[in-house]
Amino acid sequence: MSNFEAGLCTVTFRSLPPDRIVELAREARIAAAEWAGDAHVPPGKTSIARIVGRLSKRAGLTTSYGSYVAPPTDDLSEFVRAVESATALGASNIRIWPGTRRRDSKDYNAAERRAAADAIRDMGAEAARHEVTVSLEYHPQSLTDTTDSACRLIEAIAHDNVYLYWQPRPGLAVEEALAEVARVGQHVSHVHVFAWDRERNRFPLASAADYWRTILSALPRSRWIGRRFAMLEFVANDDPAAFLEDAATLEQILIP
């Protein structure tokens, strides 16, 4: 069965202030928050990160930092700014984007793939110096937009401080999702959870409860050794009420 705890990606509520998000997380009995680097905790703004970190700690929230660093477009100096915010936040994990954003993996040549892997490896080593793990977004139009590309990338990086997230491409059938997690699951730290169709229309998580229960239960043992979080992302209409309903559904999904 699943060994995941419930979490929240704060990018779900870009327009809400951190204190309101923390209130919602507490009400929903959420265990962790991934704070958005493009909304709530900007990279390099360590004073903001410390304030949000204190709010999170008082609410008992474990934190991750959702950065938008995208190597090799962004270099190590840009990553260092994100790490500064992550450590000020008290985050134990930082999410980065593999490769140039909004670029399909099929459009990379071998040299470009090597450059991305080398940059990510350096970032993994830098994060390790601060006792922070690195996890790669698993997303369309990135170097993790297919299972083959994701596997090739993580093998090329070959760093024990770099992991993969996992989330389904919109509309991914459960059979295909199971095949994906069987291949990449050993590298997966956390997952992003939502209920979308192929056109990215959002639905209550209850409509996909069996889907997620099947996938989370099927994820193989990972080399990740810390707490693992299934993080709600992009609820219907960005509505706090919808989030609370989805959080209740996720709690039921995660019951052993």
Side-chain angles (χ1 to χ4, degrees), residues 58-134:
R58 284 200 293 267
L61 291 172
T62 295
T63 56
S64 174
Y65 184 53
S67 88
Y68 288 84
V69 172
T73 304
D74 296 319
D75 62 15
L76 190 60
S77 64
E78 190 68 23
F79 180 73
V80 166
R81 294 177 66 237
V83 172
E84 289 171 354
S85 287
T87 54
L89 178 64
S92 58
N93 178 68
I94 182 169
R95 185 279 313 274
I96 66 174
W97 287 70
T100 302
R101 294 184 66 194
R102 293 180 287 278
R103 184 182 182 191
D104 294 337
S105 63
K106 64 181 177 58
D107 295 334
Y108 285 75
N109 61 36
E112 289 172 324
R113 291 188 68 95
R114 281 196 301 273
D118 290 347
I120 294 169
R121 188 183 309 109
D122 290 344
M123 292 177 183
E126 174 64 21
R129 292 180 52 244
H130 300 274
E131 299 183 339
V132 175
T133 54
V134 173

Side-chain angles (χ1 to χ4, degrees), residues 10-250:
T10 74
V11 70
T12 302
F13 298 120
R14 278 193 173 98
S15 64
L16 294 183
D19 57 348
R20 175 58 179 141
I21 293 173
V22 168
E23 288 176 3
L24 285 168
R26 184 187 292 114
E27 184 177 353
R29 297 190 294 273
I30 292 293
E34 181 163 275
W35 289 98
D38 68 343
H40 302 113
V41 183
K45 303 291 187 180
T46 54
S47 59
I48 295 175
R50 280 191 286 271
I51 291 169
V52 175
R54 286 195 291 270
L55 285 171
S56 301
K57 187 175 182 179
R58 284 200 293 267
L61 291 172
T62 295
T63 56
S64 174
Y65 184 53
S67 88
Y68 288 84
V69 172
T73 304
D74 296 319
D75 62 15
L76 190 60
S77 64
E78 190 68 23
F79 180 73
V80 166
R81 294 177 66 237
V83 172
E84 289 171 354
S85 287
T87 54
L89 178 64
S92 58
N93 178 68
I94 182 169
R95 185 279 313 274
I96 66 174
W97 287 70
T100 302
R101 294 184 66 194
R102 293 180 287 278
R103 184 182 182 191
D104 294 337
S105 63
K106 64 181 177 58
D107 295 334
Y108 285 75
N109 61 36
E112 289 172 324
R113 291 188 68 95
R114 281 196 301 273
D118 290 347
I120 294 169
R121 188 183 309 109
D122 290 344
M123 292 177 183
E126 174 64 21
R129 292 180 52 244
H130 300 274
E131 299 183 339
V132 175
T133 54
V134 173
S135 297
L136 306 181
E137 180 77 1
Y138 199 94
H139 202 277
Q141 290 195 297
S142 75
L143 282 170
T144 54
D145 61 4
T146 70
T147 312
D148 286 342
S149 182
C151 288
R152 288 169 58 200
L153 179 63
I154 200 72
E155 290 166 6
I157 295 166
H159 196 290
D160 61 7
N161 197 45
V162 179
Y163 300 85
L164 294 174
Y165 277 4
W166 185 82
Q167 66 184 40
R169 292 180 297 282
L172 188 70
V174 68
E175 296 81 6
E176 295 176 80
L178 289 171
E180 282 198 8
V181 299
R183 290 190 61 192
V184 303
Q186 64 179 308
H187 304 294
V188 170
S189 54
H190 310 296
V191 299
H192 286 168
V193 175
F194 47 79
W196 288 8
D197 64 12
R198 200 171 297 276
E199 284 71 43
R200 297 176 181 255
N201 296 306
R202 304 179 189 181
F203 300 94
L205 187 63
S207 67
D210 289 343
Y211 182 98
W212 279 105
R213 188 176 290 110
T214 298
I215 291 167
L216 293 174
S217 297
L219 268 161
R221 184 179 298 276
S222 173
R223 59 187 175 87
W224 176 266
I225 59 174
R227 294 169 69 187
R228 306 177 81 190
F229 299 102
M231 296 183 277
L232 288 169
E233 186 176 34
F234 299 127
V235 301
N237 301 314
D238 299 330
D239 183 358
F243 161 69
L244 293 173
E245 291 178 5
D246 283 0
T249 298
L250 183 59

